[in-house]
């Protein structure tokens, strides 16, 4: 008998188990699914941002070749309820109905008005042209401030207002009194453009009905199969136990698949009407109109300080674009950010107000970071502006105000308790890697020479709240669901292991990391662990994947479930070894009797003995399988320092990122390779907001960046090399010491890049450049700066 492998799995840079299947095409994307009798659904969408529907005639489409059925909104209205909003953030929030398909009025370009079902997708798409729709135009609502005036057109006329809600948070000393005693105050307005998610895999849905029992299996490219199941029952009236939701391989989400979409409900409705399986897959241009957007807000920020740089208070007023409807968590996204505007800094007063506004644009909802990138951007931008006002280096200003490592745990002015951190260590490491002082000297030299290509240095020191989970906190924020997570460990008779997880991956590497966690606790080989996920029948309990919660909550549930397996196995091992449980040691997958090293049983041997049940203790069930549901008491708080150097050509406005260094502290690292990948992906999306991406609408409410030719998504060739390093301050809120990494790069990078651009141009009279910082906008800012200086 030989010992199990002794090298620990946690912390190893294991290649991802998932990758071989993905890169060889042996995958099962939703659009790959094909079943007998499959019909294809195509959706006719409104070309107008706001209009009454006066007539819809689908009968000509029914005459087209290959068409099985065609439906208007009125045809499908019976049996379809309003799409859910699970986060009514205030008691008096305005909650308009959100039909999966419009019946009387369309409220954004892309609103569904009719659909066709045909034998193939091309016949369905072609038949849309035959549908006749008459519209009575209504005025669009696009400007957030104008939308709140008394004479504004209304997105929802029955509600009497475009104001969705007002949500305040005021803590500490009254800000007005702080402002009066402050020696310096700085005010700025920042705009966050709308962003359009671009996951590698478009959204897709397949519904297969089983008529005999009234059951439906819904395959969807979703981040949230368990939530979709509950909400589809609510929207369609089909009993929840008759609905199975499967998330097959999902090619990215970034929050855009944290949603209950109308197309899922429509596919269910059509499958119910026709008794046939139905598939819908969006085109890229359709997705730009119909997949929810991210960001979209105006931030008015005021910061108060003393002349020595000590922060006194922060005031934040937001106007946030909800779009035409409230989707699953639309109202709550900026509220997540509300707690992060004070970031890593100490102050005496915090005054926050968020006003949600309806517009006739595609609804907004979660996009990577979900409210926290906006908060980090605002505080890090205005910290740079305050540093200029005080004549301080931006890093020095941050040093004078951040929470020091010896002060943890620390309750921030916003009311969050940060459990651990070391902002000093991360910053010092980043500065050394970046060669900060040398770059500052070069910058001064270029400015002195009046170089046409200016050098700018941007700083972003951030923290974020990860592991969206504590159910009681979510209750207090009026969120309709809990934040717990579930895991089950099944020991098979042959000694292999199945981990069943309620989280649902879409590129994060759950299978690899969960295998590492379970292998370490159970003492079994990494290769002997398989992970089951994404199917509400195979993994019936879970709250799914978003908010950097999978590892912190889901991975911790796996850890606890594995510990339970060991303790159940210990009872059987003690019986088999004729020893007391207290006399057993468990190391590297082996139970042994203290002082008698030859008396031993591996956990695999215990699993087989349990399977046979020939010699179990009386009264003990024949299983060492275990499940664990966890509901953490607190969030987790990754942090770090990002530094960016840019060269800006003042004659053309062209920006080049010359150097980018980030040092992140994500707590204990399970797999360094996966962490690196998550950071790189996050950096790409944060830099994209700073330099490239923007959803642009014309005056009529039409999306003019509705294709990949118009909406700029950077490729690898558009991005710099990154220097990524880590410090490690374990979380104290979970036994793994992990904090989460999925959104860190996105949250920190946008202000680092914009701070660098503004820093380069500030000697030319430029105080801000609105995102995305395109060459044209930079050139115009330089010209405006010249006018100011003259």
């Amino acid at each position: 008998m030989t010992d199990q492998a002794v090298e620990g799995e946690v912390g190893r840079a294991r290649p991802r188990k998932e990758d071989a299947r993905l890169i060889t095409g042996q995958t099962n994307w939703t659009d790959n699914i094909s079943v007998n009798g499959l019909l294809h659904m195509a959706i006719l969408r409104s070309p107008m941002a706001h209009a009454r529907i006066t007539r819809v005639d689908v009968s000509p489409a029914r005459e087209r070749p290959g068409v099985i059925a065609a439906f208007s909104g009125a045809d499908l209205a019976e049996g379809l309820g309003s799409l859910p909003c699970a986060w009514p953030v205030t008691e008096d929030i305005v909650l308009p109905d959100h039909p999966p398909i419009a019946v009387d009025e369309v409220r954004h370009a892309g609103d569904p008005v009719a659909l066709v079902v045909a034998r193939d997708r091309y016949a369905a798409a072609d038949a849309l042209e035959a549908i006749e729709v008459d519209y009575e135009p209504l005025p669009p609502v696009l400007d957030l401030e104008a939308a709140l005036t008394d004479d504004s057109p209304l997105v929802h006329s029955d509600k009497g207002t475009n104001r969705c809600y007002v949500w305040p948070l005021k803590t500490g000393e009254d800000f007005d009194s702080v402002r009066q005693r402050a020696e310096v105050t700085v005010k700025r307005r920042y705009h966050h453009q709308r962003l359009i998610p671009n996951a590698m895999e478009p959204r897709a849905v397949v519904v297969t009905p089983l008529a005999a029992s009234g059951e439906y299996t819904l395959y969807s490219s979703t981040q949230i199969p368990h939530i979709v199941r509950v909400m589809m029952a609510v929207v369609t009236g089909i009993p929840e136990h008759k609905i199975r939701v499967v998330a097959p391989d999902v090619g990215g989400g970034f929050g855009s698949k944290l949603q209950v979409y109308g197309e899922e409900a429509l596919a269910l409705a059509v499958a119910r009407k026709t008794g046939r399986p139905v598939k819908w897959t969006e085109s890229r241009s359709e997705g730009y109109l119909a997949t929810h957007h991210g960001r979209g807000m105006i931030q008015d920020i005021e910061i108060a300080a003393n002349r020595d740089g000590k922060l006194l208070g922060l005031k934040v007023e937001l106007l946030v674009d909800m779009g035409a409807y409230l989707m699953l968590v639309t109202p709550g996204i900026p509220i997540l950010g509300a707690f992060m505007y004070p970031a890593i800094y100490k102050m005496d007063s915090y005054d926050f107000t968020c006003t949600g506004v309806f517009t006739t644009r595609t609804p907004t909802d979660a996009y990577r970071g979900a409210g926290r990138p906006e908060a980090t951007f605002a505080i890090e931008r205005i910290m740079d502006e305050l540093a200029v006002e005080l004549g301080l280096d931006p890093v020095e200003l941050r040093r004078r105000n951040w929470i020091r490592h010896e002060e943890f745990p620390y309750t921030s002015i916003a009311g969050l308790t940060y459990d651990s951190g070391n902002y000093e260590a991360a910053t010092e490491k980043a500065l050394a890697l970046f060669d900060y002082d040398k770059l500052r000297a070069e910058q001064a030299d270029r400015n002195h020479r009046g170089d046409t290509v200016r050098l700018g240095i941007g700083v972003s020191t951030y923290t974020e709240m990860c592991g969206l989970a504590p159910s009681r906190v979510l209750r207090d924020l009026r969120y309709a669901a809990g934040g717990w997570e579930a895991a089950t460990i099944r020991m098979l008779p042959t000694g292999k292991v199945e981990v069943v997880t309620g989280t649902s991956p879409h590129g994060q590497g759950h299978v690899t990391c969960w295998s590492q966690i379970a292998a370490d606790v159970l003492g079994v080989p990494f290769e002997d662990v398989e992970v089951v996920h994404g199917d509400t029948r195979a993994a019936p309990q879970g709250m799914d994947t978003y908010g950097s919660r999978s590892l912190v909550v889901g991975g911790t549930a796996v850890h606890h479930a594995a510990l339970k397996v060991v303790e159940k196995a210990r009872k059987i091992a003690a019986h088999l070894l004729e020893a007391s449980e207290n006399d057993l040691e468990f190391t590297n997958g082996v139970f042994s009797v203290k002082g008698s090293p030859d008396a031993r049983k591996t956990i695999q041997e215990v699993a087989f003995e349990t399977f046979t049940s020939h010699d179990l203790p009386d009264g003990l069930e024949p299983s060492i399988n275990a499940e664990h549901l966890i509901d953490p008491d607190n969030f987790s708080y990754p942090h770090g320092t990002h530094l960016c150097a840019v060269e800006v050509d003042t004659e053309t406005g062209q920006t080049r990122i010359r150097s980018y260094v980030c040092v992140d502290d994500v707590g204990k690292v399970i797999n360094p390779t996966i962490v690196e990948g998550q950071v790189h992906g996050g950096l790409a999306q944060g830099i994209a907001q700073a330099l490239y991406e923007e959803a642009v609408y014309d005056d009529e409410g039409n999306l003019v960046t509705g294709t990949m030719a118009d909406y700029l998504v950077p490729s690898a060739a558009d991005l710099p090399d990154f220097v990524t390093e880590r410090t490690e301050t374990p979380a104290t809120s979970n036994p793994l010491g992990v904090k989460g990494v999925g959104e860190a790069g996105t949250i920190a990078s946008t202000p680092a890049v914009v701070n660098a651009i503004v820093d380069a141009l500030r000697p030319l009279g430029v105080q801000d450049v609105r995102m995305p910082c395109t060459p044209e906008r930079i050139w115009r800012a330089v010209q405006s700066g010249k006018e100011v200086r003259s």
Side-chain angles (χ1 to χ4, degrees), residues 60-396:
R62 293 178 180 141
E63 305 303 317
R64 289 295 185 97
V67 171
I68 301 299
F71 303 100
S72 67
D75 295 330
L76 295 171
E78 186 177 353
L80 276 180
S82 178
L83 293 173
C85 174
W87 205 336
V89 295
T90 63
E91 188 173 351
D92 60 351
I93 188 173
V94 175
L95 285 170
D97 286 340
H98 184 186
I101 183 168
V103 177
D104 302 314
E105 192 170 318
V106 293
R107 294 182 171 87
H108 68 91
D111 227 352
V113 295
L115 61 85
V116 170
V117 186
R119 290 189 176 92
D120 65 68
R121 67 178 62 187
Y122 306 107
D126 289 345
L128 294 180
E129 299 175 355
I131 298 175
E132 298 173 5
V133 184
D134 292 338
Y135 298 99
E136 179 185 316
L138 295 170
V141 179
L142 302 169
D143 183 275
L144 294 181
E145 291 177 302
L148 298 178
T149 61
D150 292 338
D151 58 350
S152 172
L154 297 176
V155 180
H156 299 275
S157 57
D158 60 318
K159 300 303 180 184
T161 181
N162 290 321
R163 182 178 283 104
C164 177
Y165 67 88
V166 177
W167 193 92
L169 176 65
K170 301 179 190 296
T171 63
E173 188 179 344
D174 180 71
F175 185 81
D176 288 338
S177 64
V178 163
R179 182 193 289 122
Q180 290 175 4
R181 65 182 174 87
E183 296 172 320
V184 177
T185 60
V186 177
K187 293 182 181 180
R188 291 291 185 270
R189 167 169 281 201
Y190 301 124
H191 293 261
H192 283 262
Q193 74 274 36
R194 277 174 165 254
L195 302 177
I196 302 177
N198 279 271
M200 186 176 293
E201 179 201 16
R203 291 190 295 120
V205 183
V206 174
V207 176
T208 61
L210 185 60
S213 60
E215 295 178 81
Y216 298 85
T217 298
L218 187 154
Y219 301 88
S220 182
S221 176
T222 182
Q223 299 173 219
I224 53 169
H226 297 90
I227 294 173
V228 166
R229 183 190 191 206
V230 173
M231 294 306 185
M232 284 299 101
V234 171
V235 173
T236 66
I238 298 170
E240 183 184 350
H241 67 288
K242 296 290 188 179
I243 300 174
R244 174 190 180 192
V245 177
V246 180
D249 293 319
V250 177
F254 314 121
S256 70
K257 296 173 184 174
L258 164 57
Q259 194 55 264
V260 177
Y261 280 106
E263 292 86 359
E264 292 164 323
L266 291 173
L268 261 176
V270 170
R272 180 163 54 179
K273 278 184 173 290
T274 63
R276 300 267 298 272
V278 176
K279 177 188 286 187
W280 171 82
T281 301
E282 72 178 2
S283 66
R284 284 290 176 188
S285 57
E286 187 179 21
Y288 275 37
L289 289 170
T291 296
H292 74 241
H293 293 177
R295 315 288 193 253
M297 69 167 61
I298 299 171
Q299 302 172 313
D300 287 307
I301 312 295
E302 182 177 0
I303 197 165
N306 285 337
R307 182 59 62 183
D308 63 2
K310 181 183 184 300
L311 296 186
L312 299 178
L314 181 69
K315 184 170 186 176
V316 176
E317 293 182 333
L318 306 183
L319 287 180
V320 183
D321 189 349
M322 304 283 98
Y325 302 102
L326 302 182
M327 299 193 77
L328 189 66
V329 291
T330 301
I333 296 304
I335 305 309
L336 283 175
F339 299 95
M340 300 313 301
Y341 282 85
I344 65 174
Y345 307 117
K346 296 179 284 189
M347 58 189 73
D348 302 327
S349 172
Y350 178 46
D351 188 328
F352 173 94
T353 305
C354 176
T355 301
V357 184
F358 290 113
T359 63
T360 53
R361 287 186 281 238
T362 300
T364 58
D365 208 301
Y367 182 66
R368 197 168 189 170
R372 290 155 293 160
E374 298 93 313
T376 299
F377 182 88
I379 185 63
E380 290 305 289
R381 282 288 294 115
I382 206 160
M383 284 294 283
D384 262 31
E385 297 302 309
L386 178 62
V388 171
E389 184 71 22
L390 296 171
L392 288 173
D393 180 273
V395 174
E396 177 58 29

Side-chain angles (χ1 to χ4, degrees), residues 314-517:
L314 181 69
K315 184 170 186 176
V316 176
E317 293 182 333
L318 306 183
L319 287 180
V320 183
D321 189 349
M322 304 283 98
Y325 302 102
L326 302 182
M327 299 193 77
L328 189 66
V329 291
T330 301
I333 296 304
I335 305 309
L336 283 175
F339 299 95
M340 300 313 301
Y341 282 85
I344 65 174
Y345 307 117
K346 296 179 284 189
M347 58 189 73
D348 302 327
S349 172
Y350 178 46
D351 188 328
F352 173 94
T353 305
C354 176
T355 301
V357 184
F358 290 113
T359 63
T360 53
R361 287 186 281 238
T362 300
T364 58
D365 208 301
Y367 182 66
R368 197 168 189 170
R372 290 155 293 160
E374 298 93 313
T376 299
F377 182 88
I379 185 63
E380 290 305 289
R381 282 288 294 115
I382 206 160
M383 284 294 283
D384 262 31
E385 297 302 309
L386 178 62
V388 171
E389 184 71 22
L390 296 171
L392 288 173
D393 180 273
V395 174
E396 177 58 29
L397 176 63
R398 288 163 169 83
R399 281 197 185 103
R400 294 185 185 187
N401 288 284
W402 63 37
I403 303 155
R404 302 196 63 81
H405 70 276
E406 64 268 16
E407 296 179 277
F408 289 96
Y410 185 90
T411 301
S412 78
I413 188 69
L416 297 177
T417 300
Y418 301 165
D419 64 321
S420 67
N422 192 329
Y423 309 140
E424 307 98 298
T427 302
E428 291 309 313
K429 191 169 187 177
L431 291 171
L433 291 168
F434 192 66
D435 211 345
Y436 185 81
D437 292 338
K438 184 177 179 181
L439 283 168
R440 282 293 185 199
E442 181 185 342
Q443 178 188 45
D445 180 60
R446 287 198 190 197
N447 290 344
H448 178 73
R449 290 188 283 107
D451 200 332
T452 58
V453 177
R454 294 300 177 105
L455 179 65
I457 297 168
V459 181
S460 175
T461 50
Y462 79 99
T463 190
E464 57 160 324
M465 53 191 288
C466 282
L468 190 64
S471 294
R472 293 183 181 182
V473 174
L474 295 176
R475 172 203 63 192
D476 293 342
L477 293 174
R478 301 181 61 86
Y479 183 61
W484 52 267
E485 196 47 76
T488 299
I489 305 287
R490 298 196 290 245
M491 289 293 300
L492 305 181
T494 56
K496 309 305 181 185
V497 180
E498 287 181 337
V499 175
V500 182
T501 177
T503 62
S504 183
H506 44 281
Q508 295 90 338
H510 291 184
V511 172
T512 302
C513 289
W514 281 209
S515 295
Q516 291 178 271
I517 292 168

Side-chain angles (χ1 to χ4, degrees), residues 714-786:
S715 70
D718 299 306
L719 297 167
D721 291 333
F722 306 123
V723 176
T724 58
E725 281 289 347
R726 293 184 301 277
T727 54
E728 189 171 297
T729 310
T732 62
S733 56
N734 64 77
L736 294 173
V738 296
K739 294 183 177 180
V741 70
E743 297 161 305
T746 302
I747 289 168
S749 57
T750 307
V753 174
V754 177
N755 275 343
I757 291 169
V758 176
D759 184 61
L761 301 178
R762 190 172 278 113
L764 303 178
V766 176
Q767 286 192 334
D768 192 27
V769 179
R770 185 168 170 174
M771 295 187 293
C773 301
T774 62
E776 179 183 356
R777 283 183 175 164
I778 289 173
W779 182 85
R780 291 188 181 279
V782 171
Q783 304 313 305
S784 297
K786 288 179 180 178

